[in-house]
Amino acid sequence: MRPIVIVPACTRDFGEHPYHAAQHKYCDAVVLGADCAPMILPSLGPALDLETMLQLCDGIMLTGSASNVHPSYYSEDVLDPSLPQDPARDETTLPLIRAAVGRGIPIIAICRGFQEMNVALGGSLHQAVQAVPGKFDHRENAELGMDEQYGDAHKISIVPGGFLHGVLGADEIPVNSLHGQGVNELAPGLVVEATAEDGLVEAFSVGAAPGFTLAVQWHPEWRITHNPYSMKMFGAFGQACRDYRARKQGRL
């Protein structure tokens, strides 16, 4: 059996009905990149039985989203009320992250998921990176087509000898950029794995975590099979999930 990877859902309204939803590209990345089985987790907040979910899963992928983590979680007010929020997802993923890290469950986090991990573990965010002196505008151009929006936007420098460096075997790679928020204060215990040209943190790991924990600000899931670096990243995550499953079953 393939390892089971939890993919937390966003909440969306389609017509007059609310849905729990996850984009195809994230589920595809779990299957095609990690060779695992995705299980979409509804964002039920405190009503969710996290203990059952954590016993079932062998890994977690935190997806990107149009919504932002509510700034009350890092003691700030909302800077731009026009930007979308998803309180049900916040109430689901933040405790999920803390519980999973402590258990050594492998985690790969993307964009919003990257920001969720930092906030869940005690960090804070820039709510508008483009307004921070010395930082670039990391947002996509919404007037372009999807392939152009998800095309390479800038390079990142990977920390030599770090976890990500070991996974990718590269000092520098080009990445896409589709985010307006980013790391302000890094949570205690997190280790910077890569930075953008303006110094913004683009990847981190959890230093003391007993399992695979990698968070990236870009979108490696986009057309994953066409990007060898993305395939290496998800391949390493998938192997970590298989190893975790084997340990859980007493085979390692």
Side-chain angles (χ1 to χ4, degrees):
M1 291 178 62
R2 290 179 175 179
I4 295 172
V5 172
I6 281 178
V7 181
C10 298
T11 58
R12 292 283 187 274
D13 290 337
F14 296 105
E16 297 182 5
H17 296 280
Y19 286 76
H20 296 283
Q23 292 182 21
H24 287 199
K25 61 191 173 86
Y26 295 111
C27 294
D28 288 346
V30 171
V31 175
L32 301 175
D35 192 25
C36 295
M39 180 174 70
I40 298 174
L41 181 73
S43 288
L44 298 175
L48 183 69
D49 183 353
L50 274 185
E51 183 61 31
T52 297
M53 296 299 103
L54 291 169
Q55 288 185 23
L56 284 173
C57 79
D58 306 299
I60 296 170
M61 182 180 67
L62 300 163
T63 71
S65 176
S67 67
N68 295 309
V69 180
H70 199 280
S72 61
Y73 287 101
Y74 48 95
S75 303
E76 290 187 15
D77 296 324
V78 174
L79 182 66
D80 184 352
S82 71
L83 297 178
Q85 307 288 336
D86 192 342
R89 172 161 168 164
D90 293 340
E91 291 176 350
T92 303
T93 55
L94 300 185
L96 175 71
I97 290 164
R98 290 188 285 266
V101 167
R103 290 170 182 243
I105 297 173
I107 302 174
I108 190 166
I110 296 168
C111 203
R112 188 200 208 269
F114 165 97
Q115 295 163 15
E116 284 172 331
M117 277 196 72
N118 187 47
V119 171
L121 300 176
S124 66
L125 303 175
H126 293 302
Q127 293 188 55
V129 171
Q130 69 278 4
V132 178
K135 295 292 186 276
F136 302 153
D137 189 340
H138 288 256
R139 296 172 297 179
E140 74 277 18
N141 184 345
E143 295 180 358
L144 299 176
M146 294 297 288
D147 281 332
E148 293 170 291
Q149 288 185 39
Y150 280 89
D152 293 341
H154 61 78
K155 292 180 180 179
I156 60 167
S157 297
I158 299 171
V159 175
F163 179 74
L164 182 60
H165 189 265
V167 169
L168 299 184
D171 299 323
E172 184 180 81
I173 65 169
V175 298
N176 50 37
S177 188
L178 299 93
H179 62 100
Q181 303 202 341
V183 167
N184 180 6
E185 293 183 4
L186 200 64
L190 299 187
V191 178
V192 175
E193 298 288 346
T195 56
E197 294 157 314
D198 60 357
L200 192 69
V201 176
E202 286 278 340
F204 62 74
S205 58
V206 183
F212 179 110
T213 54
L214 180 63
V216 301
Q217 184 62 86
W218 68 95
H219 286 267
E221 83 288 351
W222 178 256
R223 301 198 184 284
I224 186 170
T225 57
H226 297 275
N227 189 318
Y229 293 119
S230 297
M231 290 297 288
K232 282 185 178 182
M233 189 185 307
F234 272 89
F237 170 66
Q239 185 58 53
C241 294
R242 284 183 283 278
D243 291 344
Y244 178 83
R245 185 182 184 91
R247 286 193 297 273
K248 190 167 64 172
Q249 296 175 344
R251 292 186 285 112
L252 276 184

